[in-house]
Amino acid sequence: MEGSGPSPTSLNNFRIVYLITQMVGATIIILIGSWVGVHLGGLSWSSNPAVQFNWHPLLMSFGMIFLYGNSILVYRGLRYARKKPLKVTHAVIHGLAFLFTVIALVAAFDSHNLAKTPIPNMYTLHSWVGMAAVVLFGCQYLFGFVSYLFPGVRESLRSTYMPIHVFFGIVGFILAIAASLLGLLEKAIFSIGDYRYLPPQGVLVNMIGMLLLVYGGLVVFLVTEPMYKRKPLPEDVMLLTHSPSSQ
């Protein structure tokens, strides 16, 4: 994701779009929190399986949407930081996202399995797309950690894998957005009896869905726009040139 670096004008544009992206992402989390608190009965754990499910949309949105988006933007958003701290930051944010995702999955499966009348798991399109996103995310995290934080990997192998890592990182994020939209629709149909008449809860769900599209589009734009690539710092070039793996 590195290159010749943006011009002052394009860098200012990047900062504006980046700030808007963060505001949209934060708004999504706030609205989902409001949806859970006002319309879905709040939060609980296994003592109330139906309410325990509410952790799923909240934590999935925070982990697989907001944190995931920020993780793949970290090299451009923190462009003046050294390369190694950026790698660690990228891995830490990914790790937190994965932790929240695991808790969200446990909440979903518990809410199905512990219900008075157990609900089947993994039968909807939402669950299939969502699990595909989680599996891809986990593979990305594992392979990325081994490739870029594990000592002894040759620089030529890292360079060869980088385009693959970037591509599937974006694909996984798009899958997460798609799964979230499918999940919103599924929950709305199941829980809003008069959804077709667009009650306040229906309006809220639709607004969240539209903001998810905006956030996903902005993140993909920022991470794929060539003008916004991070310019390597002199220290990074020197470190790469003199590293044993590059010799």
Side-chain angles (χ1 to χ4, degrees), residues 75-110:
Y75 286 97
R76 298 191 176 196
L78 303 177
R79 62 180 62 250
Y80 297 115
R82 292 286 301 274
K83 186 68 175 291
K84 188 171 183 179
L86 282 177
K87 289 182 179 180
V88 174
T89 302
H90 179 71
V92 169
I93 297 176
H94 254 58
L96 288 173
F98 188 75
L99 175 62
F100 287 129
T101 297
V102 170
I103 298 174
L105 288 175
V106 170
F109 283 109
D110 274 0

PDB file of all heavy atoms in Angstrom, residues 75-110:
ATOM      1  N   TYR A  75      -2.418   2.052   7.560  1.00  0.00           N
ATOM      2  CA  TYR A  75      -1.193   2.497   6.903  1.00  0.00           C
ATOM      3  C   TYR A  75      -1.373   3.856   6.234  1.00  0.00           C
ATOM      4  O   TYR A  75      -0.406   4.597   6.063  1.00  0.00           O
ATOM      5  CB  TYR A  75      -0.755   1.466   5.854  1.00  0.00           C
ATOM      6  CG  TYR A  75      -0.175   0.220   6.462  1.00  0.00           C
ATOM      7  CD1 TYR A  75      -0.951  -0.917   6.646  1.00  0.00           C
ATOM      8  CD2 TYR A  75       1.155   0.176   6.874  1.00  0.00           C
ATOM      9  CE1 TYR A  75      -0.430  -2.065   7.217  1.00  0.00           C
ATOM     10  CE2 TYR A  75       1.693  -0.965   7.443  1.00  0.00           C
ATOM     11  CZ  TYR A  75       0.892  -2.082   7.608  1.00  0.00           C
ATOM     12  OH  TYR A  75       1.413  -3.211   8.185  1.00  0.00           O
ATOM     13  N   ARG A  76      -2.580   4.185   5.843  1.00  0.00           N
ATOM     14  CA  ARG A  76      -2.827   5.470   5.210  1.00  0.00           C
ATOM     15  C   ARG A  76      -3.261   6.519   6.224  1.00  0.00           C
ATOM     16  O   ARG A  76      -2.911   7.688   6.092  1.00  0.00           O
ATOM     17  CB  ARG A  76      -3.880   5.305   4.110  1.00  0.00           C
ATOM     18  CG  ARG A  76      -3.395   4.355   3.022  1.00  0.00           C
ATOM     19  CD  ARG A  76      -4.256   4.330   1.789  1.00  0.00           C
ATOM     20  NE  ARG A  76      -3.645   3.452   0.787  1.00  0.00           N
ATOM     21  CZ  ARG A  76      -3.969   3.435  -0.491  1.00  0.00           C
ATOM     22  NH1 ARG A  76      -4.913   4.242  -0.946  1.00  0.00           N
ATOM     23  NH2 ARG A  76      -3.365   2.622  -1.331  1.00  0.00           N
ATOM     24  N   GLY A  77      -4.001   6.107   7.235  1.00  0.00           N
ATOM     25  CA  GLY A  77      -4.431   7.055   8.248  1.00  0.00           C
ATOM     26  C   GLY A  77      -3.292   7.511   9.143  1.00  0.00           C
ATOM     27  O   GLY A  77      -3.271   8.657   9.596  1.00  0.00           O
ATOM     28  N   LEU A  78      -2.323   6.621   9.418  1.00  0.00           N
ATOM     29  CA  LEU A  78      -1.159   6.958  10.263  1.00  0.00           C
ATOM     30  C   LEU A  78       0.106   6.945   9.398  1.00  0.00           C
ATOM     31  O   LEU A  78       1.097   6.315   9.732  1.00  0.00           O
ATOM     32  CB  LEU A  78      -1.044   5.958  11.411  1.00  0.00           C
ATOM     33  CG  LEU A  78      -2.277   5.828  12.309  1.00  0.00           C
ATOM     34  CD1 LEU A  78      -2.059   4.755  13.369  1.00  0.00           C
ATOM     35  CD2 LEU A  78      -2.627   7.152  12.965  1.00  0.00           C
ATOM     36  N   ARG A  79       0.060   7.676   8.308  1.00  0.00           N
ATOM     37  CA  ARG A  79       1.101   7.577   7.276  1.00  0.00           C
ATOM     38  C   ARG A  79       2.477   8.053   7.719  1.00  0.00           C
ATOM     39  O   ARG A  79       3.484   7.707   7.105  1.00  0.00           O
ATOM     40  CB  ARG A  79       0.679   8.369   6.032  1.00  0.00           C
ATOM     41  CG  ARG A  79       0.494   9.839   6.238  1.00  0.00           C
ATOM     42  CD  ARG A  79       0.076  10.529   4.933  1.00  0.00           C
ATOM     43  NE  ARG A  79      -1.205  10.031   4.450  1.00  0.00           N
ATOM     44  CZ  ARG A  79      -1.322   9.267   3.352  1.00  0.00           C
ATOM     45  NH1 ARG A  79      -0.243   8.950   2.665  1.00  0.00           N
ATOM     46  NH2 ARG A  79      -2.506   8.862   2.979  1.00  0.00           N
ATOM     47  N   TYR A  80       2.558   8.829   8.788  1.00  0.00           N
ATOM     48  CA  TYR A  80       3.868   9.342   9.211  1.00  0.00           C
ATOM     49  C   TYR A  80       4.504   8.497  10.311  1.00  0.00           C
ATOM     50  O   TYR A  80       5.567   8.838  10.829  1.00  0.00           O
ATOM     51  CB  TYR A  80       3.737  10.800   9.664  1.00  0.00           C
ATOM     52  CG  TYR A  80       3.290  11.716   8.547  1.00  0.00           C
ATOM     53  CD1 TYR A  80       2.066  12.359   8.607  1.00  0.00           C
ATOM     54  CD2 TYR A  80       4.090  11.897   7.414  1.00  0.00           C
ATOM     55  CE1 TYR A  80       1.640  13.181   7.564  1.00  0.00           C
ATOM     56  CE2 TYR A  80       3.677  12.712   6.372  1.00  0.00           C
ATOM     57  CZ  TYR A  80       2.451  13.349   6.458  1.00  0.00           C
ATOM     58  OH  TYR A  80       2.038  14.166   5.423  1.00  0.00           O
ATOM     59  N   ALA A  81       3.864   7.424  10.701  1.00  0.00           N
ATOM     60  CA  ALA A  81       4.442   6.515  11.695  1.00  0.00           C
ATOM     61  C   ALA A  81       5.415   5.559  11.017  1.00  0.00           C
ATOM     62  O   ALA A  81       5.349   5.311   9.813  1.00  0.00           O
ATOM     63  CB  ALA A  81       3.343   5.734  12.404  1.00  0.00           C
ATOM     64  N   ARG A  82       6.351   5.021  11.802  1.00  0.00           N
ATOM     65  CA  ARG A  82       7.299   4.051  11.286  1.00  0.00           C
ATOM     66  C   ARG A  82       6.591   2.772  10.886  1.00  0.00           C
ATOM     67  O   ARG A  82       5.535   2.436  11.391  1.00  0.00           O
ATOM     68  CB  ARG A  82       8.366   3.739  12.340  1.00  0.00           C
ATOM     69  CG  ARG A  82       9.317   4.883  12.647  1.00  0.00           C
ATOM     70  CD  ARG A  82      10.322   5.075  11.520  1.00  0.00           C
ATOM     71  NE  ARG A  82      11.093   3.853  11.321  1.00  0.00           N
ATOM     72  CZ  ARG A  82      12.203   3.556  12.003  1.00  0.00           C
ATOM     73  NH1 ARG A  82      12.643   4.375  12.936  1.00  0.00           N
ATOM     74  NH2 ARG A  82      12.858   2.441  11.747  1.00  0.00           N
ATOM     75  N   LYS A  83       7.215   2.026   9.959  1.00  0.00           N
ATOM     76  CA  LYS A  83       6.577   0.856   9.382  1.00  0.00           C
ATOM     77  C   LYS A  83       6.319  -0.234  10.433  1.00  0.00           C
ATOM     78  O   LYS A  83       5.226  -0.823  10.465  1.00  0.00           O
ATOM     79  CB  LYS A  83       7.469   0.296   8.273  1.00  0.00           C
ATOM     80  CG  LYS A  83       6.854  -0.848   7.474  1.00  0.00           C
ATOM     81  CD  LYS A  83       5.682  -0.381   6.642  1.00  0.00           C
ATOM     82  CE  LYS A  83       5.142  -1.491   5.756  1.00  0.00           C
ATOM     83  NZ  LYS A  83       6.087  -1.866   4.674  1.00  0.00           N
ATOM     84  N   LYS A  84       7.302  -0.515  11.278  1.00  0.00           N
ATOM     85  CA  LYS A  84       7.125  -1.601  12.234  1.00  0.00           C
ATOM     86  C   LYS A  84       6.005  -1.319  13.229  1.00  0.00           C
ATOM     87  O   LYS A  84       5.155  -2.198  13.472  1.00  0.00           O
ATOM     88  CB  LYS A  84       8.430  -1.904  12.959  1.00  0.00           C
ATOM     89  CG  LYS A  84       8.348  -3.147  13.834  1.00  0.00           C
ATOM     90  CD  LYS A  84       9.714  -3.567  14.368  1.00  0.00           C
ATOM     91  CE  LYS A  84       9.609  -4.853  15.184  1.00  0.00           C
ATOM     92  NZ  LYS A  84      10.927  -5.283  15.693  1.00  0.00           N
ATOM     93  N   PRO A  85       5.935  -0.106  13.848  1.00  0.00           N
ATOM     94  CA  PRO A  85       4.787   0.160  14.724  1.00  0.00           C
ATOM     95  C   PRO A  85       3.451   0.076  13.996  1.00  0.00           C
ATOM     96  O   PRO A  85       2.448  -0.329  14.589  1.00  0.00           O
ATOM     97  CB  PRO A  85       5.056   1.590  15.220  1.00  0.00           C
ATOM     98  CG  PRO A  85       6.527   1.753  15.128  1.00  0.00           C
ATOM     99  CD  PRO A  85       6.936   0.960  13.917  1.00  0.00           C
ATOM    100  N   LEU A  86       3.429   0.438  12.713  1.00  0.00           N
ATOM    101  CA  LEU A  86       2.200   0.326  11.941  1.00  0.00           C
ATOM    102  C   LEU A  86       1.790  -1.139  11.790  1.00  0.00           C
ATOM    103  O   LEU A  86       0.603  -1.478  11.872  1.00  0.00           O
ATOM    104  CB  LEU A  86       2.372   0.964  10.562  1.00  0.00           C
ATOM    105  CG  LEU A  86       2.298   2.491  10.511  1.00  0.00           C
ATOM    106  CD1 LEU A  86       2.562   2.982   9.094  1.00  0.00           C
ATOM    107  CD2 LEU A  86       0.951   2.980  11.002  1.00  0.00           C
ATOM    108  N   LYS A  87       2.767  -2.017  11.547  1.00  0.00           N
ATOM    109  CA  LYS A  87       2.473  -3.448  11.444  1.00  0.00           C
ATOM    110  C   LYS A  87       1.874  -3.967  12.745  1.00  0.00           C
ATOM    111  O   LYS A  87       0.892  -4.726  12.738  1.00  0.00           O
ATOM    112  CB  LYS A  87       3.747  -4.232  11.114  1.00  0.00           C
ATOM    113  CG  LYS A  87       4.287  -4.041   9.708  1.00  0.00           C
ATOM    114  CD  LYS A  87       5.522  -4.910   9.511  1.00  0.00           C
ATOM    115  CE  LYS A  87       6.090  -4.776   8.121  1.00  0.00           C
ATOM    116  NZ  LYS A  87       7.288  -5.624   7.928  1.00  0.00           N
ATOM    117  N   VAL A  88       2.471  -3.555  13.866  1.00  0.00           N
ATOM    118  CA  VAL A  88       1.975  -4.005  15.169  1.00  0.00           C
ATOM    119  C   VAL A  88       0.571  -3.465  15.420  1.00  0.00           C
ATOM    120  O   VAL A  88      -0.321  -4.188  15.882  1.00  0.00           O
ATOM    121  CB  VAL A  88       2.938  -3.567  16.287  1.00  0.00           C
ATOM    122  CG1 VAL A  88       2.351  -3.903  17.660  1.00  0.00           C
ATOM    123  CG2 VAL A  88       4.306  -4.232  16.113  1.00  0.00           C
ATOM    124  N   THR A  89       0.353  -2.188  15.105  1.00  0.00           N
ATOM    125  CA  THR A  89      -0.970  -1.582  15.276  1.00  0.00           C
ATOM    126  C   THR A  89      -2.012  -2.301  14.425  1.00  0.00           C
ATOM    127  O   THR A  89      -3.122  -2.598  14.876  1.00  0.00           O
ATOM    128  CB  THR A  89      -0.933  -0.094  14.902  1.00  0.00           C
ATOM    129  OG1 THR A  89       0.041   0.576  15.708  1.00  0.00           O
ATOM    130  CG2 THR A  89      -2.295   0.547  15.104  1.00  0.00           C
ATOM    131  N   HIS A  90      -1.649  -2.583  13.178  1.00  0.00           N
ATOM    132  CA  HIS A  90      -2.522  -3.306  12.260  1.00  0.00           C
ATOM    133  C   HIS A  90      -2.900  -4.669  12.846  1.00  0.00           C
ATOM    134  O   HIS A  90      -4.076  -5.060  12.844  1.00  0.00           O
ATOM    135  CB  HIS A  90      -1.782  -3.479  10.928  1.00  0.00           C
ATOM    136  CG  HIS A  90      -2.542  -4.222   9.871  1.00  0.00           C
ATOM    137  ND1 HIS A  90      -3.637  -3.700   9.228  1.00  0.00           N
ATOM    138  CD2 HIS A  90      -2.341  -5.452   9.335  1.00  0.00           C
ATOM    139  CE1 HIS A  90      -4.093  -4.573   8.338  1.00  0.00           C
ATOM    140  NE2 HIS A  90      -3.324  -5.651   8.386  1.00  0.00           N
ATOM    141  N   ALA A  91      -1.913  -5.378  13.392  1.00  0.00           N
ATOM    142  CA  ALA A  91      -2.157  -6.699  13.966  1.00  0.00           C
ATOM    143  C   ALA A  91      -2.995  -6.620  15.237  1.00  0.00           C
ATOM    144  O   ALA A  91      -3.874  -7.464  15.468  1.00  0.00           O
ATOM    145  CB  ALA A  91      -0.822  -7.392  14.261  1.00  0.00           C
ATOM    146  N   VAL A  92      -2.748  -5.607  16.070  1.00  0.00           N
ATOM    147  CA  VAL A  92      -3.499  -5.461  17.322  1.00  0.00           C
ATOM    148  C   VAL A  92      -4.963  -5.164  17.038  1.00  0.00           C
ATOM    149  O   VAL A  92      -5.872  -5.749  17.659  1.00  0.00           O
ATOM    150  CB  VAL A  92      -2.878  -4.357  18.197  1.00  0.00           C
ATOM    151  CG1 VAL A  92      -3.808  -4.004  19.360  1.00  0.00           C
ATOM    152  CG2 VAL A  92      -1.526  -4.802  18.743  1.00  0.00           C
ATOM    153  N   ILE A  93      -5.229  -4.246  16.102  1.00  0.00           N
ATOM    154  CA  ILE A  93      -6.622  -3.917  15.763  1.00  0.00           C
ATOM    155  C   ILE A  93      -7.321  -5.150  15.191  1.00  0.00           C
ATOM    156  O   ILE A  93      -8.467  -5.442  15.524  1.00  0.00           O
ATOM    157  CB  ILE A  93      -6.684  -2.742  14.769  1.00  0.00           C
ATOM    158  CG1 ILE A  93      -6.098  -1.485  15.399  1.00  0.00           C
ATOM    159  CG2 ILE A  93      -8.128  -2.482  14.346  1.00  0.00           C
ATOM    160  CD1 ILE A  93      -6.027  -0.305  14.454  1.00  0.00           C
ATOM    161  N   HIS A  94      -6.612  -5.887  14.322  1.00  0.00           N
ATOM    162  CA  HIS A  94      -7.168  -7.131  13.791  1.00  0.00           C
ATOM    163  C   HIS A  94      -7.462  -8.119  14.920  1.00  0.00           C
ATOM    164  O   HIS A  94      -8.499  -8.799  14.906  1.00  0.00           O
ATOM    165  CB  HIS A  94      -6.178  -7.759  12.803  1.00  0.00           C
ATOM    166  CG  HIS A  94      -6.584  -7.610  11.375  1.00  0.00           C
ATOM    167  ND1 HIS A  94      -6.807  -6.392  10.799  1.00  0.00           N
ATOM    168  CD2 HIS A  94      -6.818  -8.526  10.407  1.00  0.00           C
ATOM    169  CE1 HIS A  94      -7.149  -6.562   9.528  1.00  0.00           C
ATOM    170  NE2 HIS A  94      -7.174  -7.857   9.268  1.00  0.00           N
ATOM    171  N   GLY A  95      -6.544  -8.208  15.875  1.00  0.00           N
ATOM    172  CA  GLY A  95      -6.741  -9.125  16.993  1.00  0.00           C
ATOM    173  C   GLY A  95      -7.957  -8.763  17.828  1.00  0.00           C
ATOM    174  O   GLY A  95      -8.732  -9.634  18.240  1.00  0.00           O
ATOM    175  N   LEU A  96      -8.133  -7.477  18.099  1.00  0.00           N
ATOM    176  CA  LEU A  96      -9.309  -7.030  18.845  1.00  0.00           C
ATOM    177  C   LEU A  96     -10.590  -7.330  18.070  1.00  0.00           C
ATOM    178  O   LEU A  96     -11.588  -7.780  18.642  1.00  0.00           O
ATOM    179  CB  LEU A  96      -9.204  -5.526  19.128  1.00  0.00           C
ATOM    180  CG  LEU A  96      -8.171  -5.102  20.179  1.00  0.00           C
ATOM    181  CD1 LEU A  96      -8.071  -3.585  20.228  1.00  0.00           C
ATOM    182  CD2 LEU A  96      -8.541  -5.659  21.555  1.00  0.00           C
ATOM    183  N   ALA A  97     -10.548  -7.065  16.760  1.00  0.00           N
ATOM    184  CA  ALA A  97     -11.715  -7.359  15.929  1.00  0.00           C
ATOM    185  C   ALA A  97     -12.054  -8.845  15.984  1.00  0.00           C
ATOM    186  O   ALA A  97     -13.233  -9.218  16.067  1.00  0.00           O
ATOM    187  CB  ALA A  97     -11.457  -6.916  14.486  1.00  0.00           C
ATOM    188  N   PHE A  98     -11.035  -9.689  15.939  1.00  0.00           N
ATOM    189  CA  PHE A  98     -11.266 -11.134  15.993  1.00  0.00           C
ATOM    190  C   PHE A  98     -11.851 -11.544  17.342  1.00  0.00           C
ATOM    191  O   PHE A  98     -12.750 -12.390  17.408  1.00  0.00           O
ATOM    192  CB  PHE A  98      -9.961 -11.881  15.731  1.00  0.00           C
ATOM    193  CG  PHE A  98     -10.129 -13.366  15.588  1.00  0.00           C
ATOM    194  CD1 PHE A  98     -10.667 -13.908  14.431  1.00  0.00           C
ATOM    195  CD2 PHE A  98      -9.753 -14.226  16.609  1.00  0.00           C
ATOM    196  CE1 PHE A  98     -10.830 -15.279  14.294  1.00  0.00           C
ATOM    197  CE2 PHE A  98      -9.910 -15.590  16.480  1.00  0.00           C
ATOM    198  CZ  PHE A  98     -10.456 -16.120  15.312  1.00  0.00           C
ATOM    199  N   LEU A  99     -11.375 -10.936  18.434  1.00  0.00           N
ATOM    200  CA  LEU A  99     -11.888 -11.248  19.770  1.00  0.00           C
ATOM    201  C   LEU A  99     -13.371 -10.899  19.870  1.00  0.00           C
ATOM    202  O   LEU A  99     -14.189 -11.708  20.343  1.00  0.00           O
ATOM    203  CB  LEU A  99     -11.087 -10.479  20.820  1.00  0.00           C
ATOM    204  CG  LEU A  99     -11.582 -10.595  22.264  1.00  0.00           C
ATOM    205  CD1 LEU A  99     -11.512 -12.036  22.751  1.00  0.00           C
ATOM    206  CD2 LEU A  99     -10.769  -9.676  23.183  1.00  0.00           C
ATOM    207  N   PHE A 100     -13.732  -9.695  19.425  1.00  0.00           N
ATOM    208  CA  PHE A 100     -15.137  -9.285  19.464  1.00  0.00           C
ATOM    209  C   PHE A 100     -15.994 -10.188  18.579  1.00  0.00           C
ATOM    210  O   PHE A 100     -17.144 -10.494  18.913  1.00  0.00           O
ATOM    211  CB  PHE A 100     -15.273  -7.829  19.020  1.00  0.00           C
ATOM    212  CG  PHE A 100     -14.778  -6.834  20.034  1.00  0.00           C
ATOM    213  CD1 PHE A 100     -13.873  -5.842  19.674  1.00  0.00           C
ATOM    214  CD2 PHE A 100     -15.206  -6.890  21.344  1.00  0.00           C
ATOM    215  CE1 PHE A 100     -13.406  -4.926  20.598  1.00  0.00           C
ATOM    216  CE2 PHE A 100     -14.748  -5.981  22.290  1.00  0.00           C
ATOM    217  CZ  PHE A 100     -13.841  -4.987  21.913  1.00  0.00           C
ATOM    218  N   THR A 101     -15.424 -10.616  17.467  1.00  0.00           N
ATOM    219  CA  THR A 101     -16.155 -11.494  16.552  1.00  0.00           C
ATOM    220  C   THR A 101     -16.446 -12.846  17.194  1.00  0.00           C
ATOM    221  O   THR A 101     -17.555 -13.384  17.064  1.00  0.00           O
ATOM    222  CB  THR A 101     -15.348 -11.690  15.257  1.00  0.00           C
ATOM    223  OG1 THR A 101     -15.197 -10.424  14.597  1.00  0.00           O
ATOM    224  CG2 THR A 101     -16.034 -12.658  14.316  1.00  0.00           C
ATOM    225  N   VAL A 102     -15.470 -13.397  17.893  1.00  0.00           N
ATOM    226  CA  VAL A 102     -15.670 -14.690  18.566  1.00  0.00           C
ATOM    227  C   VAL A 102     -16.777 -14.578  19.617  1.00  0.00           C
ATOM    228  O   VAL A 102     -17.666 -15.441  19.706  1.00  0.00           O
ATOM    229  CB  VAL A 102     -14.353 -15.166  19.208  1.00  0.00           C
ATOM    230  CG1 VAL A 102     -14.605 -16.369  20.118  1.00  0.00           C
ATOM    231  CG2 VAL A 102     -13.340 -15.529  18.134  1.00  0.00           C
ATOM    232  N   ILE A 103     -16.750 -13.504  20.415  1.00  0.00           N
ATOM    233  CA  ILE A 103     -17.790 -13.314  21.434  1.00  0.00           C
ATOM    234  C   ILE A 103     -19.155 -13.173  20.769  1.00  0.00           C
ATOM    235  O   ILE A 103     -20.160 -13.724  21.249  1.00  0.00           O
ATOM    236  CB  ILE A 103     -17.473 -12.080  22.298  1.00  0.00           C
ATOM    237  CG1 ILE A 103     -16.145 -12.280  23.045  1.00  0.00           C
ATOM    238  CG2 ILE A 103     -18.604 -11.824  23.291  1.00  0.00           C
ATOM    239  CD1 ILE A 103     -15.684 -11.051  23.802  1.00  0.00           C
ATOM    240  N   ALA A 104     -19.204 -12.442  19.648  1.00  0.00           N
ATOM    241  CA  ALA A 104     -20.463 -12.248  18.929  1.00  0.00           C
ATOM    242  C   ALA A 104     -21.001 -13.574  18.400  1.00  0.00           C
ATOM    243  O   ALA A 104     -22.213 -13.827  18.436  1.00  0.00           O
ATOM    244  CB  ALA A 104     -20.258 -11.262  17.782  1.00  0.00           C
ATOM    245  N   LEU A 105     -20.108 -14.430  17.906  1.00  0.00           N
ATOM    246  CA  LEU A 105     -20.539 -15.743  17.411  1.00  0.00           C
ATOM    247  C   LEU A 105     -21.055 -16.622  18.551  1.00  0.00           C
ATOM    248  O   LEU A 105     -22.057 -17.332  18.397  1.00  0.00           O
ATOM    249  CB  LEU A 105     -19.384 -16.434  16.689  1.00  0.00           C
ATOM    250  CG  LEU A 105     -18.999 -15.854  15.325  1.00  0.00           C
ATOM    251  CD1 LEU A 105     -17.759 -16.550  14.791  1.00  0.00           C
ATOM    252  CD2 LEU A 105     -20.148 -15.983  14.337  1.00  0.00           C
ATOM    253  N   VAL A 106     -20.369 -16.587  19.691  1.00  0.00           N
ATOM    254  CA  VAL A 106     -20.825 -17.356  20.853  1.00  0.00           C
ATOM    255  C   VAL A 106     -22.223 -16.900  21.256  1.00  0.00           C
ATOM    256  O   VAL A 106     -23.108 -17.724  21.554  1.00  0.00           O
ATOM    257  CB  VAL A 106     -19.841 -17.200  22.026  1.00  0.00           C
ATOM    258  CG1 VAL A 106     -20.436 -17.797  23.309  1.00  0.00           C
ATOM    259  CG2 VAL A 106     -18.512 -17.864  21.707  1.00  0.00           C
ATOM    260  N   ALA A 107     -22.446 -15.585  21.251  1.00  0.00           N
ATOM    261  CA  ALA A 107     -23.764 -15.060  21.614  1.00  0.00           C
ATOM    262  C   ALA A 107     -24.835 -15.553  20.660  1.00  0.00           C
ATOM    263  O   ALA A 107     -25.948 -15.928  21.083  1.00  0.00           O
ATOM    264  CB  ALA A 107     -23.723 -13.530  21.628  1.00  0.00           C
ATOM    265  N   ALA A 108     -24.538 -15.568  19.370  1.00  0.00           N
ATOM    266  CA  ALA A 108     -25.519 -16.011  18.378  1.00  0.00           C
ATOM    267  C   ALA A 108     -25.839 -17.498  18.542  1.00  0.00           C
ATOM    268  O   ALA A 108     -27.015 -17.893  18.557  1.00  0.00           O
ATOM    269  CB  ALA A 108     -25.000 -15.721  16.974  1.00  0.00           C
ATOM    270  N   PHE A 109     -24.809 -18.334  18.651  1.00  0.00           N
ATOM    271  CA  PHE A 109     -25.039 -19.775  18.792  1.00  0.00           C
ATOM    272  C   PHE A 109     -25.735 -20.102  20.113  1.00  0.00           C
ATOM    273  O   PHE A 109     -26.621 -20.971  20.154  1.00  0.00           O
ATOM    274  CB  PHE A 109     -23.725 -20.537  18.667  1.00  0.00           C
ATOM    275  CG  PHE A 109     -23.230 -20.674  17.249  1.00  0.00           C
ATOM    276  CD1 PHE A 109     -22.124 -19.972  16.809  1.00  0.00           C
ATOM    277  CD2 PHE A 109     -23.887 -21.512  16.350  1.00  0.00           C
ATOM    278  CE1 PHE A 109     -21.673 -20.098  15.501  1.00  0.00           C
ATOM    279  CE2 PHE A 109     -23.453 -21.642  15.047  1.00  0.00           C
ATOM    280  CZ  PHE A 109     -22.338 -20.934  14.608  1.00  0.00           C
ATOM    281  N   ASP A 110     -25.339 -19.420  21.201  1.00  0.00           N
ATOM    282  CA  ASP A 110     -26.004 -19.651  22.486  1.00  0.00           C
ATOM    283  C   ASP A 110     -27.484 -19.289  22.410  1.00  0.00           C
ATOM    284  O   ASP A 110     -28.340 -20.007  22.945  1.00  0.00           O
ATOM    285  CB  ASP A 110     -25.332 -18.817  23.583  1.00  0.00           C
ATOM    286  CG  ASP A 110     -24.136 -19.517  24.203  1.00  0.00           C
ATOM    287  OD1 ASP A 110     -23.830 -20.653  23.785  1.00  0.00           O
ATOM    288  OD2 ASP A 110     -23.500 -18.926  25.097  1.00  0.00           O
TER     289      ASP A 110
END
